[in-house]
Amino acid sequence: MTVVLLRNNRGTVTKKKPPRKPRKKKPPHKKRAGKNTFDPGEIIQGIIADPLKISHLTKILDRQGDLVTFEPTPAQAKSTTNVLTNKWCMFLKARQLGSTTILVFILLVQAMLRPGYRVLVVAQTWRTALKLAAMIHRFAEHFPGALCPPYKKNQLGIVFTHGGSIEVQTAATASSRGLTYNAILASEVAFWQHPEQSARALFQALSGNDTIMILESTADGVNGYHKLWTSDEHGLTKHFLSWLDEPTYVRYEPYPVPSALQEYADKHNLPDERLWWAAHHLATKCLGSMATFLQECAIDPVTCFLRSGDAFFEPQTEWEHAQFYSGLKTHYKPEKNHIYAIGVDSASGSNSPEADYSAAVVLDVTKPAEPVIAAVLVAKETPDAWGQSVKQLALRYKAANNTVISNIERTGGWGVPAINAVRKAKLRVFQQRKPNTKTHTTYNPNYGWDTNKETRAEMMSTLQAAVNNKRVKLNDERLQ
């Protein structure tokens, strides 16, 4: 570089640099493809298309009640694939496969990442609705803040600031709200009061182009959900989930196998670890009832539909030569100082050939370990007339200084006249004590027995176990 020396007026020599050459402009920087570049919109669309990508970012309660990272099971992954492939679908499933959990998770992700997307979850009871809402809150609370937009939660759901929402209602209230949704999950539809009618009404609440409609349930007899399952008119794709879809349902320690379960295992080629698990589950969860096991642990979409009113007991307790007849059949006359319990099942008394008969069974429980059926009364009478018949039967066995306790089913109101008639005769009637919802300290007495979806399965399974274990002797050939 050339330096020029200059002398100023003071005689000082200074250096002067020549002007710099203009620098060439560099071309704009090109980012390398695939490095430090991402499209947030593309990522969000990928998550919406496959919500399982972010399942590990939130938490659930496991079967022991511990808070753990959400890692979907193979059965849950199968449910996800089915829904994402066919957004209008229905599931028939074995119990406790976690399908409701994964379906709620999928729809929460849709509401969370899609502005204005509204989701409705319909549960069979208020208690279940609260549990599902708590699950939704838990999912949202454990998602990272960068992923989950701000929201406000309420008792039954979540409303996001971008307008998306997910809420839980019961089957009794959902169809009457008059609102519209982009996605609907109807849970345990078979246990709704009117499964078919209520489910069809929900279709009218769907609005938009990209809608999701999911019906899911375990079987509960040949009712409205069975009709939906066997119908091809609703356009829903059907998916069946067997208990064999859950790989953890195995047991590696031998367990006694009843003959009926062995036949079942041979038919379905179950390995020992599956058979031993089934035997343990049959004994501890189904109280020995194969009928309950077939329904709760569905292995195919046919045998799981346990018919209500069909023969419930195992084949060894049935008599092929037995003939049904109405009236009173006395096995043992009233004996002095005995204790009797009368179980009463009241029907409408309709003259229709398809209408049920009312029935009352007198059980001698003087020796609790050896109960004996003393008499059986079967009739097709109006509720008032049936109430008088039950009262006369109770008074007959009350004679000779006996103790008589009547357990009368009140479901549907048909048993109320019988309850009133027996109480007016100053005879004892079984009471169910329920906590007062206001005070939580006092109890409201409810006379009679309330048979519902929860108590029926427990009642029948307990009776089945008592029969199978020889704790109850069936000496009436009409008891099948």
Side-chain angles (χ1 to χ4, degrees), residues 158 228 349:
I158 282 176
L228 286 169

Side-chain angles (χ1 to χ4, degrees), residues 443-456:
Y443 290 84
N444 297 328
N446 291 314
Y447 290 96
W449 174 262
D450 182 17
T451 302
N452 53 47
K453 298 297 183 183
E454 296 178 355
T455 62
R456 179 182 180 275

Side-chain angles (χ1 to χ4, degrees), residues 348-357 380:
S348 65
S350 170
N351 293 325
S352 170
E354 293 80 15
D356 288 337
Y357 283 77
K380 185 178 287 190

Side-chain angles (χ1 to χ4, degrees), residues 67 119 162 201 233 264 273 275 299 321 324 338 381 387 395 423 461 478:
L67 191 65
V119 176
H162 60 44
E233 299 177 354
Y264 169 90
E273 61 271 19
L275 174 59
I299 199 170
H321 64 279
F324 173 82
H338 275 226
E381 299 177 337
L395 288 173
R423 290 191 63 210
S461 297
R478 292 178 298 168

Side-chain angles (χ1 to χ4, degrees), residues 324-392:
F324 173 82
Y325 60 90
S326 62
L328 175 65
K329 184 173 183 178
T330 302
H331 296 281
Y332 299 98
K333 295 181 180 180
E335 297 186 37
K336 188 175 181 180
N337 297 324
H338 275 226
I339 302 174
Y340 295 96
I342 304 178
V344 182
D345 182 11
S346 304
S348 65
S350 170
N351 293 325
S352 170
E354 293 80 15
D356 288 337
Y357 283 77
S358 297
V361 178
V362 181
L363 193 66
D364 188 337
V365 293
T366 306
K367 297 180 179 180
E370 301 177 7
V372 177
I373 296 176
V376 178
L377 174 64
V378 179
K380 185 178 287 190
E381 299 177 337
T382 63
D384 289 334
W386 174 246
Q388 295 301 315
S389 298
V390 172
K391 182 186 73 172
Q392 294 301 324

Side-chain angles (χ1 to χ4, degrees), residues 36 145 194 233 236 243 333 336 399 469:
N36 298 328
H194 303 291
E233 299 177 354
L236 298 173
W243 69 274
K333 295 181 180 180
K336 188 175 181 180
N469 297 330

